[in-house]
Amino acid sequence: MKPKTSVRPLDESDEVLDEWYKEVCYCGGMVEYYPIEGSYVLLDTPMQIWDQIKNFLDVEMKIMNVKKCHFPLSSKVNSCADALKNSMYPYLRKWIRSPSDLPLKLNQWCNAPRRKLITPTPFLRCREFMWQEGHGAFATKKEANGDLLKVLEMYRCLYEELLAVPVLLGRKSDNEKLVGGLYSTSAQVFIPETGHGVEGASAHCLGQTYAKTFNILFEDKNGEKAMVWQTSWDLNTTAIGLMLMIHGDDKGLVLPPRVAPVQVVVIPEICQGVDAKRIYDACEDIALNLERSSFFVEVEKRRNIPLSTRHTLWERKGVPLRIQIGPAQLDNNTAVLVRRDDGCKKSVSRDSLADDVHAILEDIQGSLFKKAKTKRDSCVEEVEDWAQFLKALKKRRLVLAPWCDEEGVEMDIKRRSDGLAKHFGTPFSQPPMSLGTLCFASGKLAKSWSYWTWTSC
């Protein structure tokens, strides 16, 4: 297994991480390669993780009164989003007539093709991806804005509570907002090893642009025709790739317990001269009892490979917890628990095994998030002027800088940095800013703090 990080110049870090990531996906049983470039066969583990993501979002969207639907995907437009708008919005015009029809919120789960493909990578840049796209129609701009914040909070909970991946919520620049939209927001993930920022999910306030185009009107309380305010929001299988990249290590995958299809693997430790059947029976009994306590468990049954190799193979798959049972454990009514995230071993009584497993899995979930957030936060570097900015950017830091929030200045930043600087979002949670603070790039009065990264992947 190639190492995730190595002592190499920063300009080679992209290649190092890319090689590691592709090997982890393949050796960890996530994908098989397909003869068509950029296409991958997704195996059981990622499909079950995607099911967990879908289940989580479906529950949250039901609370938000989002209705399920499925529309055909037109092939006569340039993007998947445009295809869905063209197939969906004429029906919004049909379904919306009065204030009682609002708000109307719809979501669909589907597959979509990626028309532009550069440097294919499993989950992150594929020829085809799975995604959800939600749409909302509201009577007022205030309602649309408020609902968009709820959507972003839903995405934050998904990443941080389910996938244990820290995200930054913020507003995208006007240069990067959805074409035709009023403004765009996103949940962004920072990759410390390369200094890249990756969009984990997006949510857009479309304003009344498409309401005007598709004539989506309702009769307001004064009996006059009014246009709706619209939103759209989406997340795709990039979420899986980001989780793998953030948590994986030199041994392979590291899966958070809340999405791991196999949370616990029970491994019989057979040696010469012991009653193998007695140990295997004990392992099956442990698995059955844990399954009754709602854990996802598998027993290692292969006998034709060395024990150390079996440990290695399960480590590559990222299973959160390993239970080892040998003659000593049978005699003492104990079990050895080995964590995947830090390798720590603990001997516990089999009488309290379910409680111990629950406690350790919860601790692993929390530890993965804490470790990832600490690592990301350690990369943040606050700057005040252009020289500091360029120095921090070349070190692949997550740069926080005061900015005047002007389109022309953003384009000038890209030009002056030789295309290396990328606006990473203006965070909703703003640090204090002193009166009279100047933009790091233009020298004009700054309006807000914004994050910047090395050009995103």
Side-chain angles (χ1 to χ4, degrees):
M1 181 71 65
K2 291 183 174 64
K4 184 177 184 180
T5 56
S6 60
V7 183
R8 294 194 186 188
L10 278 174
D11 58 2
E12 295 181 23
S13 61
D14 292 355
E15 181 182 348
V16 172
L17 189 67
D18 186 61
E19 291 177 0
W20 166 85
Y21 175 78
K22 289 178 178 178
E23 185 174 2
V24 159
C25 287
Y26 183 76
C27 295
M30 299 294 287
V31 300
E32 285 282 359
Y33 289 98
Y34 197 70
I36 299 175
E37 184 186 25
S39 296
Y40 305 92
V41 178
L42 303 190
L43 303 178
D44 181 70
T45 297
M47 293 306 299
Q48 291 207 46
I49 292 173
W50 186 242
D51 283 344
Q52 294 274 25
I53 291 173
K54 289 175 65 176
N55 292 341
F56 181 94
L57 293 181
D58 278 341
V59 169
E60 295 298 315
M61 286 189 281
K62 190 174 183 65
I63 295 172
M64 294 171 61
N65 199 31
V66 179
K67 306 299 183 183
K68 294 182 179 182
C69 65
H70 186 80
F71 283 81
L73 181 64
S74 171
S75 61
K76 298 180 180 180
V77 288
N78 293 325
S79 72
C80 300
D82 287 341
L84 287 171
K85 290 180 179 72
N86 278 277
S87 62
M88 181 181 292
Y89 287 179
Y91 287 88
L92 298 190
R93 180 179 63 212
K94 176 181 178 181
W95 295 335
I96 297 173
R97 289 287 185 266
S98 69
S100 62
D101 298 323
L102 298 172
L104 177 61
K105 293 181 276 188
L106 302 171
N107 179 69
Q108 72 170 357
W109 296 92
C110 55
N111 290 20
R114 181 172 276 111
R115 287 167 170 78
K116 293 182 180 180
L117 189 64
I118 302 173
T119 318
T121 308
F123 304 109
L124 300 176
R125 291 183 294 267
C126 310
R127 190 169 296 280
E128 180 184 11
F129 57 92
M130 296 180 288
W131 76 330
Q132 63 80 207
E133 185 177 37
H135 289 266
F138 303 86
T140 66
K141 180 182 179 182
K142 182 179 180 180
E143 289 178 280
N145 291 342
D147 200 73
L148 213 57
L149 291 177
K150 292 179 182 178
V151 168
L152 280 173
E153 176 61 13
M154 175 183 71
Y155 286 145
R156 184 201 67 76
C157 290
L158 169 75
Y159 269 100
E160 298 192 348
E161 297 177 12
L162 196 70
L163 306 180
V165 173
V167 295
L168 293 169
L169 302 182
R171 185 165 175 161
K172 301 175 77 170
S173 68
D174 285 342
N175 281 323
E176 295 187 328
K177 71 180 181 181
L178 188 69
V179 176
L182 192 61
Y183 66 86
S184 292
T185 63
S186 62
Q188 299 276 8
V189 177
F190 181 73
I191 310 297
E193 287 78 10
T194 63
H196 286 315
V198 183
E199 184 174 280
S202 61
H204 316 279
C205 180
L206 304 178
Q208 296 179 309
T209 302
Y210 293 99
K212 185 181 296 183
T213 301
F214 291 92
N215 200 33
I216 307 173
L217 306 173
F218 69 101
E219 191 175 283
D220 65 17
K221 59 183 179 181
N222 299 319
E224 298 179 354
K225 293 292 184 182
M227 289 186 292
V228 300
W229 292 82
Q230 291 179 262
T231 61
S232 71
W233 25 282
D234 63 274
L235 173 141
N236 60 46
T237 38
T238 293
I240 297 176
L242 290 173
M243 179 193 70
L244 303 180
M245 190 168 285
I246 291 295
H247 299 311
D249 59 21
D250 291 352
K251 295 180 180 179
L253 302 177
V254 179
L255 299 181
R258 291 179 189 169
V259 292
V262 179
Q263 297 170 312
V264 182
V265 58
V266 185
I267 300 183
E269 307 244 312
I270 309 295
C271 55
Q272 194 171 4
V274 302
D275 187 348
K277 184 179 185 303
R278 182 166 168 250
I279 294 178
Y280 276 107
D281 288 346
C283 291
E284 293 289 353
D285 184 57
I286 287 172
L288 183 60
N289 288 332
L290 289 177
E291 286 171 349
R292 286 172 179 164
S293 297
S294 300
F295 298 106
F296 303 134
V297 188
E298 191 163 324
V299 177
E300 170 58 68
K301 297 180 180 179
R302 292 169 292 188
R303 304 191 186 191
N304 60 339
I305 55 177
L307 183 60
S308 60
T309 303
R310 279 180 272 173
H311 289 175
T312 299
L313 292 176
W314 285 107
E315 286 177 336
R316 286 183 180 178
K317 290 177 179 290
V319 174
L321 190 62
R322 191 167 77 234
I323 297 180
Q324 299 172 182
I325 301 294
Q329 285 71 48
L330 284 187
D331 293 341
N332 299 325
N333 193 38
T334 59
V336 175
L337 309 185
V338 186
R339 295 171 57 138
R340 174 61 183 87
D341 62 326
D342 60 14
C344 287
K345 292 184 179 182
K346 182 180 181 181
S347 180
V348 302
S349 169
R350 284 175 57 186
D351 295 334
S352 62
L353 187 58
D355 290 338
D356 288 314
V357 166
H358 174 76
I360 291 176
L361 290 179
E362 282 298 296
D363 190 66
I364 292 173
Q365 184 79 27
S367 295
L368 287 175
F369 176 75
K370 183 178 179 180
K371 178 182 177 182
K373 187 175 185 300
T374 300
K375 191 172 184 179
R376 182 202 67 187
D377 291 349
S378 70
C379 294
V380 176
E381 187 165 334
E382 187 177 310
V383 303
E384 296 179 352
D385 57 39
W386 180 257
Q388 293 175 352
F389 173 80
L390 210 56
K391 183 178 180 181
L393 186 71
K394 289 181 178 179
K395 290 191 296 182
R396 306 290 184 97
R397 310 291 283 177
L398 176 54
V399 187
L400 183 63
W403 185 40
C404 62
D405 197 5
E406 294 183 9
E407 291 184 58
V409 174
E410 182 183 0
M411 298 304 293
D412 192 52
I413 291 170
K414 291 183 178 181
R415 179 188 62 79
R416 292 168 65 190
S417 66
D418 295 325
L420 299 180
K422 172 83 170 178
H423 184 256
F424 194 54
T426 299
F428 294 137
S429 180
Q430 283 280 309
M433 178 178 286
S434 302
L435 188 66
T437 298
L438 302 180
C439 172
F440 77 97
S442 67
K444 300 177 182 179
L445 278 177
K447 295 180 181 178
S448 60
W449 291 94
S450 283
Y451 284 112
W452 300 80
T453 65
W454 193 262
T455 303
S456 298
C457 57

